[in-house]
Structure formats: structure tokens, C-alpha cells
Amino acid sequence: MGKYYLAVDIGASSGRHILAHLDSGKIELEEIWRFDNGMKPKNGHLCWDLENLEKNLVLGMKKCAQLGKIPESIGIDTWAVDFVLLDDMGRRITDAVGYRDSRTEGMDEEVYKTISPEDLYARTGIQKQIFNTIYQLMALKKEDPDAMEKADAMLMIPEYLNYFLTGQKAAEYTNATTTQLVTPKTNDWDHELIRMLGYKDSMFQPIHMPGYVVGHLLPEIQEQTGFDCQVVLVATHDTGSAVLSVPSNGDDGIYISSGTWSLMGVERKEADCSKASMEANFTNEGGYDYRFRYLKNIMGLWMIQSVRHELADAYSFAQLCQMAEECNDFPSRVDVNDNCFLAPESMIKAIQDYCIKTGQPVPHTPGELATVIYQSLAQCYGEVASQIEALTGKKYTKIHIVGGGSNADYLNELTAKASGRTVYAGPTEATAIGNIVAQMLKSGEFTSLEEARSCIFESFGVKTFQSC
């Protein structure tokens, strides 16, 4: 048996530990641990439960020792933009406030007192989203300036978990770019911008690329888990890892990383910080090997996930897809990127209110609600595909859908029809696979990303959906 690699992939609602190894030239995956995650009210904000993440991080690692499968390395990925501050003793001095918290309301205007939206985009190339780290830091500066003053280090959530395991602090490129505080000219922190905004420059850690070795496990972590291994930086932003797993080496395909959010775009060698790009609300997030993930952030499956929860999780996603297909002729559509769908008390009511406001038939049954969501998503994907072509000046004939949403055959069919492009769906475990591939590249299992992506295509099933 070859070397084992452990991917810890933590999403907004759950996390899992996935062991991987190469067997006869193919990547084999084994999920060994899964746990719940989510935001909880704390000190007046919606926060992540870091103690729960720390506990389950160790419990999942212990399973490796119990199975007798000790990993060569471990890599951690999570969502982007959220962070904690540490003091000079390495102690947390802020809660891990989540991106759905309301503290950033109005913080864009506070930032724009220092720099205009146009100049900010020209400097960073990052899409404006009110929960970006740049606005969260402004909220913290207003609410708790003492914490900012005491801060010795700012760590994004996966970087904090790496610190928990190793005692070493290191910023990672793909996640750092989502802060809206990195310049694509140097692929480093925009220290001038940071100082202009009154943020503490010294708390920003040196940025490293995926493949960087953070360190070995602390003695107390070794004692709890029963082994030692390297902790390696992967693309710690889950979308960065997911895009790594897109099983294509051509440049004629658009990707959609489909999960709670849908991240739709293409890989490019240069960032586009133009006014036209800004007005289309595209972003230039960092990718593996200093690539740029030129993409648009779309609300994604968050809407159907929320509706399912409101229906007491009585239906599987497969059942919701089937019911949606049965209600295929229901005519109403919504703008999936409207802020009213970001964090409503009731997603069902938000959809119904939107339809009332826009003079459309109101969906009531689970099937009607599901078809409104899926058809609206597909319509959005088609529109964004056309935008990508217009902005890049290139023709794209394929759409690669990776992640959990690639299982939704009904949505894949709608996307092919709405976009007029062939859809390739899979792999499902995109983020974990990208996490693993970054570790394997560092270890020398693959000599290039192209070789790794060819292996991914051979290792995992990919479904095809034609546009007509």
C-alpha cells in the first residue's frame, strides 16, 4: 500500500476527514470521520464553534491510528473570509464571527470613506461582497478597537486550525486573496491599503503557496492522536481546492464549484481588474501556482438546502429534484443573487414574497419551490457563462460542474439547456480531492497539475449532459 494523505474538509454545515492513497494509478478515497458544523449565537453575533472544530479535528485524526493508516501529511480547507485574532501569547482574543452575521452592514460605506469602490477593485480585483474580510475588519475596528490593537496575528479559520495542530502561523495564498486585501500585482498583502484603512499591518502573516509545510504536530496533539505527520498548506479556501479537482487540462471549459455557494468561472494567468469586470461583479481569487480563479459568486444550493430544512428534512435532495422535474412547467423565476436570500428567517417565505413582489405565480408545494430554485439557478448559470465569454473574449464549449451539486441531474440538464453548452458533472468530492492532490503534488506523487487532473478524470466518474 502506498502513502496515505488526510484531507480535512470543513464546510458551513459539516466537516469530514477523508483518507486517500494511490492504487494502480487511481486515487482511492475513504471517509473516516464526519461531524456537524454551523454558526451559533455568541456575544451578540453569529459565530463558528471553534472548540467543536478542534475537538472533531483530533477525533477524526485518532481514527487514522485506530485504522492503522497513518497519513504522510494532513491538509485543512474551509470556507473563506472569516478569521480570528491572536495576541502575542498565541491566545484567541476574538470570536470566530461568521460571514452571515450582520455586523458588516454599512461597513462598505466606512471603507469607501478611505478608498472608492473603483480604486479598491483596481487594486485587488476582488468582487464586492459585504461579508469580505475587509469589511469584517472595519466592523471589528469600530466595535472592539482594543482587540485590533492587541492583535499579534490574524489567521483565517483553516490557518487557525493549522496553528492549533502545530503552533505555527502561516497565511495561505488562495484564502488570503478573498480578504480583498491582497494585490494581484505582487500576490502579497497590499500593505499600503491595510495601513490606509487603519488596520494593524503587523498582524498579517507572510503568505505561502499550497505545498508549504506548516510544521509537525505539537507533542500534545501527537499524544492525543497517536502519531505525528506533516501539516501541509493546501488550497485552504475550499473553492480553491475544488477548482484544483476540475478534471480538464483544456482551456475551453467553464467550471462551477457547486455547493452551498456556486462559484462559476475560468482559470487565467492574469487578473482582470478592469472597470467592466468590476461592473459585472467578477472576482480574481488566487488559485494554485499563482493562477487566478476568475469567477462569480452565486447563491448556489443554499436556497434548496434551506427549504429542505424548513420542510423538516422530510425529503432527500434526490426526491426534491424529482418533484421539481414533475413541476417543470411552473413559470416563476427569482434572482438567486438577491440579498433577500442571503440569510432570511424563512427561505420559503422569501421566495414567495419575491414572486408576489414581481407579479409571478407563488410556489407553495415542495416541487414548485424546488423547480423555481433549480430553474432560476440554471438561468443564472447560462447568463454568467455568456458574461464570461464577453469579458474574456473567448468561446467556451463546456461547463464542468464539481462538488456536491454535481449529483443533481435535473439541475445539470437544466444548466446544459440554459447555457447551450455540454455539461460534465463530477467529481462529487471535489474539495477533498483538490486538498489531497495538493498534498500529493508536494510529496511528488504527481509531477504536474496536468498529470494530477488526468488522474482525477480516470479515478472518478464524470457524467455528460448535452445541451439539446
Side-chain angles (χ1 to χ4, degrees):
M1 192 66 70
K3 300 174 183 177
Y4 286 98
Y5 303 88
L6 180 62
V8 180
D9 172 28
I10 307 176
S13 58
S14 66
R16 63 261 181 82
H17 291 54
I18 295 180
L19 271 174
H21 66 279
L22 283 176
D23 186 2
S24 301
K26 293 186 177 182
I27 301 172
E28 297 288 337
L29 303 180
E30 178 185 4
E31 183 179 303
I32 61 170
W33 190 254
R34 181 176 284 268
F35 58 93
D36 291 334
N37 187 34
M39 300 179 204
K40 299 178 179 178
K42 183 180 180 182
N43 297 326
H45 295 292
L46 280 175
C47 300
W48 301 104
D49 186 347
L50 290 184
E51 288 76 14
N52 178 62
L53 294 183
E54 293 168 359
K55 179 187 75 174
N56 278 284
L57 178 55
V58 171
L59 287 173
M61 293 170 69
K62 286 175 70 173
K63 288 290 291 185
C64 296
Q66 293 168 6
L67 293 168
K69 299 176 178 179
I70 306 302
E72 176 88 357
S73 61
I74 176 176
I76 302 172
D77 67 77
T78 76
W79 60 96
V81 305
D82 295 340
F83 63 91
V84 293
L85 301 186
L86 308 182
D87 66 14
D88 58 3
M89 298 293 289
R91 298 170 299 200
R92 273 193 282 125
I93 55 176
T94 59
D95 294 324
V97 179
Y99 59 82
R100 293 194 191 278
D101 186 76
S102 61
R103 70 172 175 169
T104 53
E105 289 180 6
M107 291 303 107
D108 49 348
E109 295 305 319
E110 291 296 324
V111 167
Y112 299 154
K113 289 177 182 177
T114 300
I115 183 170
S116 70
E118 294 77 14
D119 287 346
L120 181 59
Y121 189 87
R123 290 183 80 118
T124 67
I126 296 299
Q127 170 190 28
K128 180 203 170 176
Q129 299 195 97
I130 193 60
F131 49 69
N132 285 353
T133 315
I134 189 173
Y135 307 116
Q136 292 200 43
L137 283 169
M138 183 59 73
L140 182 63
K141 179 184 169 187
K142 295 282 185 184
E143 182 181 82
D144 192 358
D146 287 345
M148 191 84 81
E149 184 59 34
K150 293 175 184 175
D152 182 69
M154 183 194 84
L155 297 177
M156 311 297 278
I157 300 302
E159 296 163 3
Y160 169 76
L161 295 174
N162 287 337
Y163 171 76
F164 167 75
L165 292 179
T166 67
Q168 302 297 316
K169 308 182 190 85
E172 187 275 320
Y173 174 66
T174 67
N175 217 335
T177 62
T178 71
T179 64
Q180 211 170 352
L181 291 166
V182 169
T183 170
K185 292 179 181 177
T186 64
N187 300 313
D188 199 358
W189 299 114
D190 188 333
H191 291 283
E192 182 183 33
L193 174 61
I194 288 167
R195 290 190 291 269
M196 283 167 55
L197 293 167
Y199 303 157
K200 191 173 181 180
D201 196 15
S202 61
M203 70 183 182
F204 293 86
Q205 304 301 296
I207 295 175
H208 300 278
M209 285 297 297
Y212 175 80
V213 177
V214 181
H216 281 262
L217 302 180
L218 289 166
E220 56 265 35
I221 301 295
Q222 293 181 39
E223 184 176 349
Q224 293 177 64
T225 61
F227 65 88
D228 185 25
C229 71
Q230 290 184 331
V231 176
V232 173
L233 283 185
V234 295
T236 63
H237 181 200
D238 50 12
T239 307
S241 277
V243 171
L244 257 177
S245 76
V246 173
S248 171
N249 286 315
D251 61 356
D252 59 346
I254 294 169
Y255 62 76
I256 302 175
S257 175
S258 180
T260 300
W261 295 91
S262 288
L263 294 307
M264 186 172 183
V266 293
E267 282 189 309
R268 305 184 77 181
K269 297 286 182 65
E270 302 289 336
D272 181 353
C273 300
S274 67
K275 185 176 181 181
S277 181
M278 182 194 76
E279 289 175 346
N281 212 19
F282 272 72
T283 198
N284 296 269
E285 294 178 353
Y288 184 82
D289 194 26
Y290 294 114
R291 289 169 168 83
F292 288 95
R293 293 177 284 123
Y294 188 60
L295 60 85
K296 193 163 196 174
N297 203 355
I298 300 166
M299 195 70 77
L301 298 178
W302 160 249
M303 294 178 69
I304 196 69
Q305 291 166 354
S306 298
V307 167
R308 180 172 178 262
H309 288 323
E310 285 186 57
L311 298 172
D313 294 331
Y315 307 102
S316 68
F317 289 115
Q319 287 174 316
L320 287 170
C321 273
Q322 182 179 346
M323 288 187 286
E325 193 164 6
E326 291 168 357
C327 295
N328 192 63
D329 293 334
F330 194 83
S332 299
R333 304 289 181 268
V334 299
D335 176 2
V336 295
N337 294 313
D338 193 288
N339 283 337
C340 68
F341 303 123
L342 181 62
E345 291 185 13
S346 166
M347 185 63 74
I348 292 173
K349 187 174 186 302
I351 293 169
Q352 292 172 336
D353 287 348
Y354 186 98
C355 290
I356 292 169
K357 183 176 68 175
T358 54
Q360 301 181 84
V362 178
H364 293 286
T365 69
E368 290 171 349
L369 289 160
T371 204
V372 168
I373 292 170
Y374 285 128
Q375 299 229 28
S376 298
L377 264 178
Q379 179 176 294
C380 181
Y381 293 160
E383 292 167 355
V384 172
S386 296
Q387 282 184 307
I388 291 170
E389 287 191 340
L391 288 164
T392 62
K394 291 187 64 174
K395 196 75 176 171
Y396 297 95
T397 61
K398 307 171 185 174
I399 294 179
H400 294 273
I401 301 180
V402 299
S406 66
N407 281 329
D409 287 356
Y410 175 61
L411 178 56
N412 296 335
E413 292 169 358
L414 291 174
T415 301
K417 182 179 178 181
S419 69
R421 296 164 177 83
T422 302
V423 167
Y424 297 89
T428 301
E429 300 292 351
T431 304
I433 292 168
N435 180 319
I436 292 293
V437 161
Q439 295 181 61
M440 287 183 168
L441 282 163
K442 181 266 166 194
S443 187
E445 300 274 16
F446 302 115
T447 58
S448 67
L449 179 56
E450 289 72 23
E451 182 186 355
R453 281 177 162 163
S454 295
C455 181
I456 292 169
F457 187 86
E458 295 298 324
S459 301
F460 304 98
V462 177
K463 289 185 177 181
T464 303
F465 299 84
Q466 300 294 342
S467 59
C468 56

